[in-house]
Structure formats: C-alpha cells, structure tokens
Amino acid sequence: MGIVKSSNRQVVKSSSRQIVDGVPVFSFEQLEVYQLARHLSGRLAKLAKLPPGDERFRLKSQIETAKLSLTSAIAEGHGRYTYKDRKHYCYEARGSLQELVDDINER
C-alpha cells in the first residue's frame, strides 16, 4: 500500500481499492451489480445453446450482444465522475436486459 499526495488530496492505493480523502473507492469489479451481471452472463451463454436450428443462431447473437452490453455499461458507468452519468449507464444496462427479455419472449 502506498500514499500518493496529489495537490490537496491524499490517495492511498492498495491492490483492491483506493482511499481518496478518507473515502474508499472500489473497482467496478467489486460492485455487487457487476458480479451479478457476470453471473447472469454465464447463465445467458447456457441459454443460447437451447433453441433449435436457425433460431439458435439469431438468439445466440442477440444474447451475446446483450450480455456484453450489460457488463460493459456497468463498467463504463462506474468510470464516470458524476452521479448523473453513472445513473445513465445503469439505465443503459437495464435497457439491454429488457431488450433481451423481449427477444426471448418473441421466440
């Protein structure tokens, strides 16, 4: 663990988190929502193998796109500086998931 002084801020760095001005800042990978999205992503990969024939190809493509979009939006939102931006990317992730539910319901 090391201490880095940056202008008026004190940043303590460790392998899993930073402490900026006494407040712990975690990596997006430690977010519970991200971990749940990764778990869901694995389950979606199994789901993609279920539909028969031509439907499998289309649905698999849609599942792959949605599961990548879901975790990517959470990670990107975590990297934003304002609450408004973070919230926007959470909405993007939720939208990807709802789009996938609609795609699955159509089959």
Side-chain angles (χ1 to χ4, degrees):
M1 185 178 337
I3 297 177
V4 178
K5 287 199 175 193
S6 168
S7 57
N8 295 331
R9 301 172 73 183
Q10 183 179 21
V11 179
V12 178
K13 293 185 175 186
S14 73
S15 60
S16 62
R17 68 179 181 177
Q18 291 184 350
I19 299 176
V20 178
D21 295 331
V23 178
V25 179
F26 296 93
S27 164
F28 70 89
E29 293 156 326
Q30 294 175 298
L31 293 172
E32 183 180 0
V33 69
Y34 181 79
Q35 293 171 5
L36 290 170
R38 293 285 303 190
H39 177 73
L40 177 62
S41 180
R43 295 187 70 184
L44 288 172
K46 291 178 185 176
L47 178 65
K49 296 176 184 177
L50 295 179
D54 293 339
E55 279 190 42
R56 182 184 315 163
F57 178 75
R58 284 181 299 211
L59 187 57
K60 182 178 181 179
S61 175
Q62 291 166 329
I63 288 173
E64 291 291 326
T65 301
K67 73 180 191 155
L68 287 174
S69 179
L70 177 65
T71 54
S72 295
I74 293 168
E76 187 169 355
H78 184 72
R80 299 300 173 149
Y81 294 102
T82 66
Y83 174 76
K84 183 179 178 182
D85 283 343
R86 289 179 179 167
K87 187 171 77 169
H88 167 77
Y89 283 95
C90 285
Y91 286 145
E92 290 288 324
R94 184 177 69 178
S96 294
L97 191 57
Q98 289 176 339
E99 183 179 355
L100 178 60
V101 168
D102 179 60
D103 292 340
I104 291 170
N105 285 338
E106 286 183 8
R107 303 300 179 248

